[in-house]
Amino acid sequence: MATYLLKTLLKALVVVLGVSLLVFVLTRSIGNPVNTMLPLGASTAERARLTHQLGLDKPLLAQLGDYVAGVAQGNFGESWWQQESALTVALRPLPFTIELSGIALVLSLVFAIPLGILSALKPRSLLDKVASTSSMLGICVPNFWLGLMLILIFSNLLHWFPTSGTGGWQYWVLPSVTLAVLPLGRITQIVRTAMLEQLRELYIVTARSKGLPEFWVVTRHALKNAGVQIVTMSGWELGRMIAGYTIAIEAVFGLPGIGSLIVDAIGQQDFPLIQAITFVIAICIVFLNILIDLSYPLFNPRVKFK
Amino acid sequence: MANSTLVDTDTPELRESRPRFYELHRMTSKMVKDRLALYALIFLMLIFLSAILASIISPHDPTTGDIWNRLKPPSFAGGYSGHLLGTDQLGRDILSRLFYGGRVSLRIGFITVLFSSLVGIFFGLLAGYAGGKTDTIIMGLVDIQFAFPGMLVALVFVMVLGPSELHLTYALAFNGWMVFARMARSLVLTFRDGPLVEAAKAIGAKPLQVMIRHILPNIFAPLVTLFVLEVARIIGAEAMMSFLGYGIQPPSSSWGLMIGEGRAYFPMAWWLIVFPGMMIASTVLALNIFSNWFTTAIDPLQKGQSG
């Protein structure tokens, strides 16, 4: 267990460092951002002062040294755009995005698990065909467009839900449904394949022959063993939502999550903020992966961490 | 075939036994049986043709607007009959813009995946064939990149290089090569220690020759499947980037950008958004169905699994 944790943390460190380094190199190769930060009529002296103030006049290696030293202390510097600690700005919208992604994941699991099980129990049945066709559709429809279509139908035509913004539960419905469609399709397929595999195993025959009701055979035996694959896929989907899908969804529904912040930070060319956001997201994903690994013994006690 | 002059390869017996011809015949007959795949292929061909012939078949110029006919609904929804799918905020014909936009979306999809597959397959072959430290380093890089927030890196990439079609292609290819590397490597591993490679080595083939002339043709089919799937994924990713304003820039257009530009006039002018979205979804769907069919057509054993 200790070696496993050490190994995982080391790997995580490499990932986070790799992401940070890449973003550092990318942002520094853009040229001097001072030009876009100051008004058009700014004098050369003003430009030079701001460049110096931001530490952009130092050699690249020195900037990198400052950056790494800062990150080690959890300090990404001031956000140029918001004039406060970049890490604070990056962390503020994170709970919202995690909540939205979490709701979407739960929503997709609630439908994906029963659908996947039923498809696996009766492969090639009508339900199986409907389920796999709709999963395929869900995977192929671009989710930002789906969001706009849902707004068109449920907000503008039927007036059931608000078009955008935050507030009561009504505001969560359309964004979380939009976000849930893609994972729903993929998790249904994973549940189906994993269950098909498990239902072929001998222990299922044993369970059935000792007279266990089919419901318990499926849930307590097959589903539990398929759990590893389902949890892996769900965790992966959650990571993809936090680090990608929410960018477009938050833009469509005008939501104050980390996805909108990314787009704003990039639009403002705010280097410290971009670095802080990528760092925060990389940490989230690494943490999520560790959680998934640690959950394996719940489903299969034979899993050993090495 | 360099040695075709030495042996007469056109005897009836040999013609019969030519695997490629047989494969093609088997695949086409399967395609006719599998209706869905056939429709998908026909649809894809139409999309490709409309993209290639955009300048001929477009009823209007895609960039010049008709100021008196702005935001006209499609002709079937009671609009001005000269514009089948209506006009946008500048009076430009939506149908013509869909043809030209498809050109850009498909071009980005294919060129991006061409880049990412070439790089990925090369490194995958190298990692799988060389093994040892080379393998550890390359696969370590692949693992790190898989943990990356890909879309975020692509956005930063485009911001740094400046939004343009070429830069978007680089950014998306940068996020796609490792899928091919991982797959190529795992496929190579099934061949590396087999008789095929041993025989090639025995007749004195150099490592690069073994990789490209002997291993690559044998692992081609699964890579083609992956290629098609990746094109579908990239078309979606391009649409999202362009929608957010970090992809294709006006006056050029793609399906994703059309949705992004039309948003301000939405939901009043629904046709600005509905049609390009339908084009993306149906193209991606057709590519997925096609790749599914290709997998089963190449390898009949897969049929039972994908059922």
Side-chain angles (χ1 to χ4, degrees):
Chain A
M1 187 71 190
T3 37
Y4 159 80
L5 270 182
L6 200 71
K7 244 183 174 173
T8 315
L9 286 176
L10 208 69
K11 221 173 167 183
L13 194 72
V14 173
V15 170
V16 173
L17 272 181
V19 177
S20 306
L21 199 66
L22 179 79
V23 174
F24 177 85
V25 172
L26 278 176
T27 48
R28 298 306 139 135
S29 50
I30 198 176
N32 198 337
V34 166
N35 296 331
T36 54
M37 293 169 71
L38 288 174
L40 274 177
S43 69
T44 325
E46 275 177 298
R47 280 172 207 278
R49 199 176 60 234
L50 188 61
T51 309
H52 179 72
Q53 198 187 328
L54 296 172
L56 292 171
D57 53 347
K58 289 186 201 169
L60 199 64
L61 226 53
Q63 286 184 40
L64 181 64
D66 288 351
Y67 174 63
V68 173
V71 171
Q73 300 160 21
N75 175 19
F76 289 84
E78 290 243 313
S79 156
W80 300 341
W81 169 45
Q82 299 268 340
Q83 310 288 326
E84 59 176 307
S85 158
L87 192 62
T88 319
V89 179
L91 284 174
R92 203 175 294 135
L94 187 64
F96 179 87
T97 298
I98 291 179
E99 199 178 342
L100 179 65
S101 311
I103 293 174
L105 183 68
V106 171
L107 202 63
S108 58
L109 283 176
V110 165
F111 289 97
I113 292 178
L115 261 180
I117 293 176
L118 291 174
S119 307
L121 284 176
K122 287 212 174 95
R124 287 164 213 233
S125 63
L126 183 67
L127 180 86
D128 184 24
K129 278 181 187 143
V130 171
S132 55
T133 312
S134 36
S135 329
M136 186 94 147
L137 276 176
I139 293 167
C140 292
V141 173
N143 56 9
F144 64 91
W145 182 70
L146 182 70
L148 290 168
M149 290 301 106
L150 292 182
I151 292 178
L152 181 69
I153 297 167
F154 294 103
S155 307
N156 296 109
L157 239 56
L158 299 172
H159 301 287
W160 287 0
F161 303 107
T163 53
S164 61
T166 51
W169 64 271
Q170 304 94 324
Y171 288 87
W172 293 88
V173 176
L174 292 185
S176 49
V177 167
T178 310
L179 205 51
V181 166
L182 197 67
L184 172 61
R186 279 199 290 241
I187 296 174
T188 309
Q189 290 312 305
I190 284 288
V191 173
R192 180 184 180 274
T193 336
M195 286 298 285
L196 272 178
E197 260 169 39
Q198 294 301 329
L199 288 169
R200 274 199 287 263
E201 296 285 323
L202 274 177
Y203 70 83
I204 294 293
V205 180
T206 315
R208 279 183 184 148
S209 56
K210 75 178 184 189
L212 198 67
E214 187 66 14
F215 181 78
W216 296 119
V217 173
V218 170
T219 50
R220 242 189 237 160
H221 292 262
L223 185 62
K224 195 179 171 197
N225 280 292
V228 171
Q229 287 177 57
I230 300 172
V231 166
T232 308
M233 191 67 186
S234 308
W236 193 72
E237 290 290 349
L238 191 61
R240 299 257 301 221
M241 282 194 257
I242 294 173
Y245 302 143
T246 46
I247 299 177
I249 298 301
E250 286 172 5
V252 167
F253 291 98
L255 300 172
I258 204 159
S260 313
L261 188 70
I262 293 167
V263 178
D264 286 342
I266 289 176
Q268 300 285 338
Q269 303 198 343
D270 187 341
F271 295 175
L273 188 54
I274 294 171
Q275 280 158 353
I277 295 171
T278 32
F279 183 81
V280 165
I281 289 182
I283 294 273
C284 277
I285 292 181
V286 162
F287 185 66
L288 202 62
N289 286 339
I290 295 178
L291 272 187
I292 296 169
D293 278 0
L294 291 179
S295 77
Y296 289 158
L298 290 177
F299 303 99
N300 188 348
R302 281 175 301 180
V303 172
K304 289 275 181 299
F305 292 110
K306 274 180 270 178
Chain B
M1 293 286 155
N3 58 357
S4 60
T5 47
L6 298 175
V7 188
D8 180 18
T9 53
D10 218 29
T11 61
E13 295 81 26
L14 275 174
R15 213 182 290 152
E16 274 298 298
S17 66
R18 258 180 219 158
R20 249 182 226 153
F21 180 74
Y22 172 69
E23 275 287 298
L24 199 69
H25 176 72
R26 191 169 63 84
M27 282 167 69
T28 38
S29 66
K30 265 198 150 170
M31 171 134 275
V32 176
K33 270 185 216 145
D34 191 344
R35 283 284 168 74
L36 193 60
L38 188 66
Y39 295 150
L41 188 68
I42 292 173
F43 179 77
L44 284 176
M45 280 173 163
L46 287 177
I47 293 284
F48 278 111
L49 273 180
S50 73
I52 294 166
L53 304 176
S55 48
I56 300 169
I57 56 172
S58 292
H60 298 269
D61 186 272
T63 46
T64 45
D66 175 358
I67 210 74
W68 301 107
N69 281 307
R70 282 181 300 170
L71 295 173
K72 288 282 180 231
S75 49
F76 60 81
Y80 168 62
S81 60
H83 299 281
L84 194 62
L85 298 182
T87 58
D88 69 1
Q89 65 280 7
L90 298 173
R92 297 175 297 191
D93 184 55
I94 298 285
L95 182 64
S96 312
R97 287 180 69 70
L98 281 181
F99 290 147
Y100 278 90
R103 200 180 248 191
V104 174
S105 291
L106 290 174
R107 188 166 60 208
I108 291 183
F110 275 90
I111 294 179
T112 302
V113 183
L114 206 62
F115 276 166
S116 64
S117 63
L118 284 178
V119 173
I121 292 171
F122 174 76
F123 281 109
L125 284 176
L126 194 66
Y129 189 70
K133 259 191 194 139
T134 323
D135 187 24
T136 316
I137 292 173
I138 294 177
M139 283 300 125
L141 273 178
V142 167
D143 279 344
I144 290 176
Q145 255 216 288
F146 262 113
F148 264 31
M151 200 43 86
L152 178 54
V153 174
L155 280 172
V156 176
F157 228 99
V158 172
M159 171 198 84
V160 170
L161 299 170
S164 79
E165 189 177 325
L166 190 66
H167 297 159
L168 185 63
T169 307
Y170 290 150
L172 293 173
F174 181 74
N175 283 316
W177 70 278
M178 64 277 187
V179 193
F180 286 96
R182 188 174 269 185
M183 184 153 202
R185 173 181 175 272
S186 69
L187 290 168
V188 167
L189 289 183
T190 60
F191 277 100
R192 192 181 60 187
D193 303 318
L196 178 91
V197 172
E198 203 180 328
K201 273 188 197 157
I203 59 168
K206 295 186 183 76
L208 201 67
Q209 265 180 322
V210 176
M211 282 197 282
I212 293 172
R213 303 249 339 238
H214 299 275
I215 297 182
L216 193 59
N218 278 296
I219 63 173
F220 210 62
L223 290 173
V224 170
T225 313
L226 185 63
F227 188 97
V228 177
L229 281 179
E230 278 290 293
V231 170
R233 188 180 72 86
I234 295 296
I235 288 176
E238 177 274 320
M240 190 193 128
M241 299 274 291
S242 298
F243 169 75
L244 289 171
Y246 289 96
I248 300 299
Q249 298 297 311
S252 181
S253 187
S254 77
W255 293 332
L257 182 63
M258 286 174 79
I259 300 177
E261 286 184 326
R263 235 190 110 194
Y265 305 91
F266 179 77
M268 185 184 70
W270 53 269
W271 55 93
L272 297 187
I273 286 181
V274 171
F275 297 126
M278 280 164 69
M279 292 304 282
I280 301 170
S282 47
T283 306
V284 171
L285 186 65
L287 286 168
N288 270 288
I289 293 172
F290 178 75
S291 86
N292 235 347
W293 167 82
F294 191 77
T295 318
T296 48
I298 285 289
D299 180 7
L301 287 177
Q302 289 265 329
K303 187 84 186 169
Q305 289 169 20
S306 65

